[in-house]
Amino acid sequence: MKYVSRLFMLPTLALFAFTSCDSDDDVPANQVPLSYKTALNALYPDAAKVEWERDGGYYVADFTRIGYDYDVWFGNEAAWAMTSIDYGRSMSELPEAVTSAFAASGYFPGVTVDEVKEYQRPAGIFYIIEVESDNDGKETNLFYSPDGTLLRSTTADVDIRPDFSI
């Protein structure tokens, strides 16, 4: 009998270990304050199948809209703080100035575009094109302004939050 109980205990402990490593603080929709839902609806009235989480002092709404993944961040009192839009590997949604600057940057060819994101904040918009070197697999994040100015490049992993400084 001890053997059987231990046999069932092992998968339970493993399940607990894996779920406790989840860094998202998911919040059921019925526990999100109405002011945050109202703020989201004002910005994106067509947002559907919204999943909410807490990240630090922010509520983050995650949903898919027109084929792209959106994360909308709200700070205190449901104040909009940031929207990130994940375009996958497609650069078709970027301003022509950004795609032209990237093409002229010397990074292309020789790299594969891994991820393209747009970040909207009250202070303005910027874009990140993450590329991977075809030679050594090294990843680089290229930060662009809407006018195509390269603001920054880094090989470090970046966690873009509303308080991230470019």
Side-chain angles (χ1 to χ4, degrees):
M1 188 67 174
K2 265 187 182 179
Y3 175 75
V4 172
S5 66
R6 286 185 181 158
L7 183 63
F8 287 108
M9 187 183 301
L10 185 60
T12 304
L13 289 173
L15 179 63
F16 175 75
F18 287 118
T19 58
S20 66
C21 293
D22 188 2
S23 63
D24 292 340
D25 291 327
D26 294 336
V27 179
N30 64 355
Q31 293 180 12
V32 175
L34 181 59
S35 59
Y36 291 87
K37 293 177 186 178
T38 301
L40 176 64
N41 189 51
L43 289 171
Y44 301 100
D46 58 341
K49 298 182 182 176
V50 178
E51 295 180 7
W52 291 90
E53 66 182 62
R54 291 281 295 180
D55 190 336
Y58 299 96
Y59 276 94
V60 183
D62 180 25
F63 57 94
T64 300
R65 179 175 180 257
I66 56 174
Y68 301 117
D69 292 329
Y70 279 64
D71 287 330
V72 183
W73 296 64
F74 296 96
N76 292 335
E77 300 186 27
W80 174 73
M82 182 176 78
T83 298
S84 70
I85 307 167
D86 187 341
Y87 295 126
R89 293 181 173 184
S90 174
M91 294 182 38
S92 64
E93 298 294 329
L94 300 181
E96 185 178 334
V98 174
T99 57
S100 295
F102 174 71
S105 69
Y107 281 97
F108 200 70
V111 297
T112 300
V113 174
D114 272 349
E115 189 172 61
V116 177
K117 286 191 173 185
E118 176 178 330
Y119 292 89
Q120 303 168 357
R121 294 178 172 175
I125 297 173
F126 65 95
Y127 304 90
I128 298 179
I129 302 172
E130 180 184 299
V131 296
E132 182 178 328
S133 169
D134 295 338
N135 293 331
D136 60 10
K138 185 177 177 181
E139 292 182 345
T140 303
N141 292 292
L142 305 167
F143 292 67
Y144 286 96
S145 68
D147 68 1
T149 301
L150 181 62
L151 303 170
R152 172 181 179 182
S153 70
T154 180
T155 57
D157 285 336
V158 291
D159 182 23
I160 308 298
R161 301 168 44 87
D163 53 358
F164 179 85
S165 180
I166 299 176

